[in-house]
Amino acid sequence: MKMEFVIPTWEVPSLPIAGTNARFPVRRIFCVGRNYVEHQKEMGGDGREQPFFFTKSTHDLVPIADGASVSIHYPPMSTNYHWETEMVAVIGKGGFRIPVEKANDHVWGYAIGLDMTRRDLQQAGKDKGRPWDFGKDFDQSAPIGVITPASKIGHPAKGKLWLTVNGAPKQTSDIDQMIWNIPEQIAFLSQYYTLEAGDLIMTGTPAGVGAAKAGDELVAGIEGLGEIKVKILPAL
Ligand code: MN
């Protein structure tokens, strides 16, 4: 018997996949903090501390079709809205306490994402010892592009990452600059959660985060994964 719901249901959040019309269903979004040395320094850190994670709701997803551009609104209640360009690891097979050397077997593919951040609200959370949700988990805060399957590109551990804003370079790094690489992140996170197929991990941003304003055009890329284009509209 078909289940009946008392309000209309919504579609399963999903991402496009390179080279097919099939979609990848998204279950959860985990994000690692301060995972590139130079970014850790710009945020006031020092050295290689244990990784830490926060989450975004799948409701925040803004999927970007191959070669497409999306527009998102400057968020409410913030005057310091930051970009963070990140590689996204897409979990295709779940697991608990996954060993580092087996971690890549759990990755279905990779994508480019922006961990858009209300830096002022994140800072207020830090100052008061409160959660980061208002700073990180808000409408349209996770634009993510097409997934390139690992079956096509393997498991890249090196490759240029960049972001330009209105054509000017703002973030330039390489994914080999991660403090905790993707297998290490999976091993760490899976000690705390049973990872499931459909989970995403946003794997951290390099130095060069900064404030976006309405009218800006962000173009983020990672070698082998293409580019995503995001335009910032005025606040609602
Ligand atoms: Mn981030």
Side-chain angles (χ1 to χ4, degrees), residues 60-229:
D60 307 337
L61 266 185
V62 182
I64 308 171
D66 214 351
S69 163
V70 294
S71 296
I72 60 176
H73 285 278
Y74 195 98
M77 305 305 285
S78 177
T79 55
N80 197 15
Y81 174 48
H82 274 206
W83 55 72
E84 294 190 0
T85 307
E86 313 207 357
M87 186 164 180
V88 181
V90 176
I91 302 296
K93 187 176 88 172
F96 180 53
R97 294 180 182 148
I98 299 166
V100 174
E101 58 278 11
K102 297 258 190 235
N104 280 342
D105 300 345
H106 295 259
V107 180
W108 195 89
Y110 299 90
I112 306 166
L114 287 166
D115 168 17
M116 298 305 292
T117 300
R118 292 190 286 207
R119 193 72 73 201
D120 42 0
L121 301 190
Q122 182 196 23
Q123 190 58 49
K126 287 181 187 177
D127 291 346
K128 295 194 165 80
R130 288 179 183 161
W132 282 17
D133 303 49
F134 279 18
K136 289 290 193 178
D137 179 3
F138 55 93
D139 292 350
Q140 302 189 315
S141 67
I144 298 180
V146 291
I147 300 169
T148 302
S151 61
K152 291 223 174 85
I153 53 156
H155 298 280
K158 186 171 172 45
K160 288 193 192 322
L161 175 154
W162 63 91
L163 171 78
T164 63
V165 179
N166 307 322
K170 297 292 182 184
Q171 292 193 285
T172 308
S173 190
D174 193 294
I175 58 168
D176 71 359
Q177 295 300 301
M178 288 183 198
I179 297 172
W180 300 94
N181 65 29
I182 290 173
E184 289 170 334
Q185 292 182 43
I186 290 169
F188 183 88
L189 192 56
S190 71
Q191 294 180 293
Y192 292 84
Y193 293 90
T194 300
L195 292 181
E196 304 281 359
D199 289 341
L200 307 183
I201 303 175
M202 300 192 76
T203 62
T205 197
V209 301
K213 57 186 192 310
D216 282 350
E217 190 180 42
L218 282 51
V219 179
I222 296 175
E223 203 177 336
L225 301 179
E227 283 189 332
I228 58 172
K229 292 192 181 102

Side-chain angles (χ1 to χ4, degrees), residues 5-76:
F5 293 102
V6 297
I7 60 167
T9 54
W10 46 93
E11 288 182 2
V12 174
S14 67
L15 288 172
I17 298 165
T20 168
N21 287 327
R23 309 275 297 186
F24 190 93
V26 177
R27 188 187 298 264
R28 289 179 294 189
I29 306 174
F30 295 100
C31 309
V32 67
R34 293 189 181 185
N35 196 36
Y36 285 76
V37 176
E38 293 306 317
H39 174 60
Q40 202 208 26
K41 285 185 194 157
E42 78 181 349
M43 299 303 287
D46 179 26
R48 180 175 157 113
E49 58 198 17
Q50 283 289 299
F52 67 93
F53 288 82
F54 57 92
T55 58
K56 286 179 184 272
S57 164
T58 56
H59 179 75
D60 307 337
L61 266 185
V62 182
I64 308 171
D66 214 351
S69 163
V70 294
S71 296
I72 60 176
H73 285 278
Y74 195 98

